[in-house]
């Protein structure tokens, strides 16, 4: 399956620090993976319109039932406002029914380092201490 490449909805000031989130989702079934994949473009579009969003990308491995997301935000509050808004809020709740595992990690980087790489996101997810 093709990835949704990094896009920059709102460019951050070059000297700004941005708040980054990487996530990994594994669905319990292939049907769950297909549902997740079909909802992903709408969520990506929502991020592209969200105030404070500085970047977003999705790595979809539907047959492996695994998805990675990577996003950059003005600050933690901007990310939380997005997460509480629709359709993300209800989509997240619905996805929990078919999710096997999910993991999140957060860090800050200078805006000049955007776009971020999948290698960095995967390294940070592997190093995380908590799985949700």
């Amino acid at each position: 399956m093709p990835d949704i490449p990094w896009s920059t909805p709102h460019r951050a000031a070059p000297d700004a620090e941005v708040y980054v989130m990487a996530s990994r989702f594994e669905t319990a079934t292939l049907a769950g993976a297909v549902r997740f994949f079909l909802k992903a473009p709408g969520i990506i579009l929502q991020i592209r319109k969200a105030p404070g969003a500085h970047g977003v990308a999705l790595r979809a491995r539907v047959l492996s039932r695994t998805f990675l997301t990577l996003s950059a935000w003005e600050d933690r509050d901007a990310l939380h406002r997005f997460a509480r808004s629709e359709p993300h809020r209800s989509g997240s709740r619905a996805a929990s029914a078919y999710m096997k595992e999910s993991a999140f990690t957060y860090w800050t980087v200078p805006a000049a380092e955007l776009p971020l790489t999948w290698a960095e996101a995967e390294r940070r997810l592997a190093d995380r201490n908590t799985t949700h």
Side-chain angles (χ1 to χ4, degrees):
M1 282 286 166
D3 295 342
I4 297 175
W6 184 267
S7 65
T8 306
H10 311 283
R11 212 165 279 290
D15 59 342
E17 281 280 310
V18 296
Y19 189 72
V20 176
M21 182 191 80
S23 61
R24 181 181 182 279
F25 300 98
E26 183 180 345
T27 63
T29 65
L30 187 55
V34 170
R35 275 183 281 201
F36 188 98
F37 183 73
L38 291 175
K39 293 201 177 281
I43 302 299
I44 296 294
L45 182 60
Q46 180 189 0
I47 293 171
R48 288 178 180 160
K49 294 177 179 180
H54 294 310
V56 61
L58 172 73
R59 176 164 278 179
R61 300 296 180 256
V62 175
L63 296 179
S64 299
R65 303 181 339 267
T66 303
F67 301 85
L68 299 175
T69 71
L70 185 56
S71 59
W73 299 87
E74 178 178 84
D75 55 28
R76 188 175 70 170
D77 290 340
L79 170 60
H80 287 223
R81 280 190 304 274
F82 158 75
R84 289 188 307 265
S85 65
E86 294 298 338
H88 183 270
R89 181 181 174 153
S90 60
S92 295
R93 288 185 178 155
S96 67
Y98 52 84
M99 206 56 61
K100 178 179 178 183
E101 177 185 310
S102 56
F104 305 86
T105 189
Y106 309 89
W107 71 100
T108 59
V109 298
E113 292 183 16
L114 298 178
L116 301 166
T117 66
W118 285 117
E120 177 69 7
E122 289 172 346
R123 181 187 69 76
R124 288 184 179 263
L125 282 163
D127 290 347
R128 76 191 187 290
N129 293 327
T130 29
T131 301
H132 301 272

